[in-house]
């Protein structure tokens, strides 16, 4: 494009687009359509430019990449403004402005979270230093008491009382550190396996000097997707625990969200030859934060796929239960042991289960799911499937529309 060799640029963009479509990479597909729109915009072919910008806009709609969506919305505004279709141009300008504001808020929120975490760590360290100093003082006083047995009885009673206070404070600190250490253990456990596998793959490819194979290796893509989901879960969980997650509740169609998540996992479903079906009424609207609810459904479906063997079955259905609409995610997977099921939503470093590929999972996604559904004013339960596997129950306020 910089050399104005538009014909060659068009050919190369289409070649890259074909590969991304094969890998079902929605972000890169949207970005490539946007690049094709810019290519024809540079050649003053506004009709073709609009066609590709519109395709980019449709692919970017369900994505969470605010920066990409903002850029595409602005391109749509410019093309309609030049076409003198001012009403549409204004609509896309508003969307661009809203996305840009959301992007700035997201960045600000992340900075606040980092600052708060740094402050908390510094505060905990200061408290730990104080407790260490108190313990050292206690040891010194105890040694003095052994040398001063004559007056030891009075000092002993005072020190015993002080010891109880220190013990109580240490217990509280240990409980706090226990939760923190368990969380770190969970994170380290979930990160270690995919990172080691990724390192092994790259080392093997490096020995073969086959860089192209690395970029297209399905295992690499799956591992990176797994790491991305883990990091997203970790960020959202930390935000929810710090009361920094913005919740914007509204009425939205349940079946549409389920369909979007299904498309995101279509390749994994087909790869494992899983019989997948949905039975959600299109007339059902549920009340909550739509983006947070997507996180819940995505984590539950991801678990169902991971723990369902090849040729298995997953069904997403729904039913009205009193004042709520309950979504059932039923799988024919390997199930969850009763001992693990009792503490499925708790932070425990020893709560580990292997999926159908032998990889282990410690359940951070489920802890996040419970936190997210509670923020939405709903509830979640996981029960054994009498036919084998598990059934996830997710309940939210609802209403029917004709």
């Amino acid at each position: 494009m910089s050399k104005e060799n538009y014909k060659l640029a068009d050919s190369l963009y289409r070649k890259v687009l074909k590969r991304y479509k094969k890998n079902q990479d929605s972000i890169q597909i949207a970005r490539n359509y946007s690049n094709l729109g810019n290519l024809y915009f540079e050649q003053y072919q506004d009709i073709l430019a609009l066609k590709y910008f519109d395709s980019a806009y449709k692919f970017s709609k369900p994505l969470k990449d605010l920066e990409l969506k903002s850029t595409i919305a602005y391109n749509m505004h410019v093309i309609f403004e030049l076409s003198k279709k001012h009403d549409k141009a204004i609509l896309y300008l508003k969307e661009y402005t809203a996305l840009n504001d959301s992007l700035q808020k997201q960045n600000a929120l992340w900075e606040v979270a980092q600052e708060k975490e740094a402050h908390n760590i510094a505060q905990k360290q200061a408290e730990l230093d104080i407790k260490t100093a108190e313990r050292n003082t206690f040891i010194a006083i105890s040694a003095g008491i052994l040398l001063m047995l004559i007056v030891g009885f009075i000092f002993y009673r005072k020190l015993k009382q002080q010891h109880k206070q220190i013990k109580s404070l240490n217990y509280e600190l240990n409980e706090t550190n226990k939760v923190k250490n368990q969380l770190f253990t969970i994170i380290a456990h979930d990160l270690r396996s995919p990172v080691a596998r990724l390192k092994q793959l790259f080392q093997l490819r490096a020995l073969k000097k086959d860089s192209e194979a690395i970029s297209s290796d399905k295992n690499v893509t799956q591992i990176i997707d797994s790491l991305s989901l883990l990091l997203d879960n970790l960020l959202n969980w930390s935000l929810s625990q710090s009361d920094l997650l913005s919740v914007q509740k509204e009425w939205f169609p349940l079946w549409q969200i389920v369909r979007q998540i299904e498309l995101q996992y279509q390749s994994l479903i087909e790869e494992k030859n899983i019989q997948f079906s949905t039975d959600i009424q299109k007339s059902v609207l549920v009340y909550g934060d739509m983006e947070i609810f997507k996180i819940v459904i995505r984590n539950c479906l991801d678990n169902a796929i991971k723990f369902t063997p090849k040729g298995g079955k997953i069904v997403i259905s729904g039913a009205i239960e009193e004042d709520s609409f309950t979504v059932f995610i039923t799988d024919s997977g390997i199930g969850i042991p009763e001992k693990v099921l009792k503490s499925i939503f708790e932070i425990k470093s020893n709560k580990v289960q292997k999926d159908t590929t032998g990889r282990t999972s410690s359940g951070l996604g489920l802890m996040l799911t419970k936190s997210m559904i509670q923020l939405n004013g709903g509830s979640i339960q996981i029960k054994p499937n009498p036919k084998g596997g598990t059934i996830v129950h997710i309940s939210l306020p609802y209403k029917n529309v004709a």
Side-chain angles (χ1 to χ4, degrees):
M1 280 186 68
S2 63
K3 294 180 180 180
E4 299 183 2
N5 189 345
Y6 298 125
K7 186 175 181 181
L8 179 58
D10 179 270
S11 173
L12 292 173
Y13 274 137
R14 291 180 189 280
K15 195 173 293 186
V16 173
L17 180 61
K18 183 178 180 182
R19 174 167 291 184
Y20 285 131
K21 283 185 175 181
K22 183 178 179 182
N23 292 335
Q24 297 185 348
D25 189 336
S26 297
I27 291 178
Q28 295 299 344
I29 290 173
R31 185 170 284 121
N32 255 266
Y33 273 128
S34 181
N35 289 338
L36 280 166
N38 286 325
L39 177 67
Y40 284 98
F41 184 81
E42 289 289 328
Q43 300 175 71
Y44 300 97
Q45 297 185 39
D46 292 352
I47 294 177
L48 277 174
L50 175 58
K51 172 188 173 183
Y52 290 116
F53 283 145
D54 185 58
S55 295
Y57 181 82
K58 289 176 181 176
F59 268 94
S60 69
K61 201 65 178 172
L63 302 177
K64 295 178 69 175
D65 192 328
L66 295 181
E67 186 173 357
L68 175 60
K69 293 171 72 171
S70 172
T71 300
I72 293 172
Y74 184 78
N75 288 339
M76 294 294 285
H77 157 69
V78 171
I79 201 75
F80 278 115
E81 186 68 28
L82 292 175
S83 303
K84 300 188 182 301
K85 295 180 181 179
H86 302 298
D87 290 342
K88 287 189 175 182
I90 289 172
L91 287 175
Y92 284 111
L93 180 59
K94 287 181 178 179
E95 184 174 352
Y96 160 74
T97 304
L99 286 167
N100 204 36
D101 289 343
S102 297
L103 185 61
Q104 292 178 0
K105 288 177 183 178
Q106 186 183 70
N107 292 336
L109 191 65
W110 176 244
E111 290 177 2
V112 169
Q114 285 184 312
E115 291 176 1
K116 186 169 182 178
E117 183 63 18
H119 173 75
N120 288 341
I121 291 173
Q123 191 175 32
K124 294 295 182 184
Q125 184 60 49
E127 291 175 359
L128 187 60
D129 291 342
I130 291 172
K131 302 302 182 295
T132 302
E134 289 178 347
R135 188 173 64 244
N136 292 339
T137 301
F138 170 74
I139 293 172
I141 293 174
S142 298
I145 291 176
L146 293 175
L147 299 174
M148 302 172 63
L149 292 175
I150 297 175
V151 292
F153 180 72
I154 296 174
F155 285 104
Y156 173 75
R157 292 184 64 181
K158 291 182 178 181
L159 288 172
K160 188 175 182 180
Q161 184 179 5
Q162 184 181 15
H163 176 69
K164 288 181 179 179
Q165 293 175 349
I166 294 173
K167 188 175 181 179
S168 175
L169 291 173
N170 278 335
Y171 176 79
E172 293 176 8
L173 181 61
N174 286 335
E175 287 299 306
T176 302
N177 284 335
K178 185 178 179 180
V179 173
K180 178 195 70 176
N181 291 336
Q182 286 178 338
L183 180 60
F184 285 162
T185 303
I186 289 171
I187 296 166
H189 178 272
D190 281 0
L191 283 174
R192 181 178 60 184
S193 180
V195 169
R197 176 63 178 150
L198 197 60
K199 180 180 177 181
Q200 182 185 41
L201 285 172
F202 273 90
Q203 285 175 338
L204 290 173
R205 300 300 184 185
L207 290 173
K208 296 178 180 179
K209 298 181 179 180
D210 189 353
S211 59
E212 184 177 352
I214 294 174
S215 63
S216 61
D217 193 305
K218 189 180 294 185
N219 289 331
V220 173
T221 303
Q222 290 177 356
I223 292 170
I224 292 173
D225 286 345
S226 175
L227 286 172
S228 177
L229 179 62
L230 173 61
L231 294 175
D232 281 346
N233 285 344
L234 179 59
L235 173 60
N236 288 318
W237 188 86
S238 63
L239 290 175
S240 69
Q241 298 302 304
S242 306
D243 297 325
L244 292 174
L245 192 65
S246 175
V247 180
Q248 298 179 350
K249 295 183 179 181
E250 59 182 337
W251 292 102
F252 59 88
L254 177 62
W255 72 270
Q256 192 174 35
I257 300 304
V258 172
R259 178 61 177 159
Q260 288 178 10
I261 304 301
E262 176 191 348
L263 291 175
Q264 291 176 11
Y265 283 91
Q266 191 65 42
S267 60
L268 282 176
I269 292 171
E270 291 176 355
E271 182 183 334
K272 295 186 76 172
N273 194 26
I274 291 173
Q275 300 177 43
F276 184 87
S277 62
T278 59
D279 184 16
I280 300 291
Q281 300 173 7
K282 292 187 177 181
S283 61
V284 173
L285 298 181
V286 293
Y287 186 69
D289 188 301
M290 185 168 63
E291 294 303 320
I292 288 178
F293 188 72
K294 285 180 182 179
I295 295 172
V296 172
I297 297 296
R298 189 160 51 244
N299 272 284
C300 291
L301 183 55
D302 185 78
N303 278 338
I305 293 170
K306 282 195 298 187
F307 291 98
T308 298
K310 289 185 177 181
K313 186 177 181 180
I314 297 175
V315 178
I316 299 181
S317 57
I320 297 171
E321 295 185 341
E322 298 180 354
D323 297 331
S324 299
F325 188 86
T326 300
V327 179
F328 303 99
I329 302 177
T330 306
D331 66 65
S332 62
I334 59 180
I336 303 174
E338 186 177 351
K339 182 176 67 174
V340 176
L341 201 57
K342 290 179 180 179
S343 61
I344 196 73
F345 297 114
E346 297 177 11
I347 300 178
K348 290 189 176 183
S349 58
N350 60 348
K351 186 185 64 182
V352 174
Q353 188 176 10
K354 291 186 178 180
D355 63 19
T356 58
T357 64
R359 290 178 296 186
T360 56
S361 174
S362 51
L364 177 61
L366 287 175
M367 289 184 288
L368 170 70
T369 297
K370 183 179 180 182
S371 179
M372 295 288 102
I373 206 67
Q374 287 176 341
L375 286 174
N376 257 345
S379 62
I380 182 170
Q381 291 180 304
I382 299 180
K383 298 180 180 180
N385 184 356
K387 297 180 181 180
T390 56
I391 306 176
V392 180
H393 301 235
I394 303 169
S395 299
L396 280 179
Y398 85 103
K399 67 179 180 180
N400 261 316
V401 292

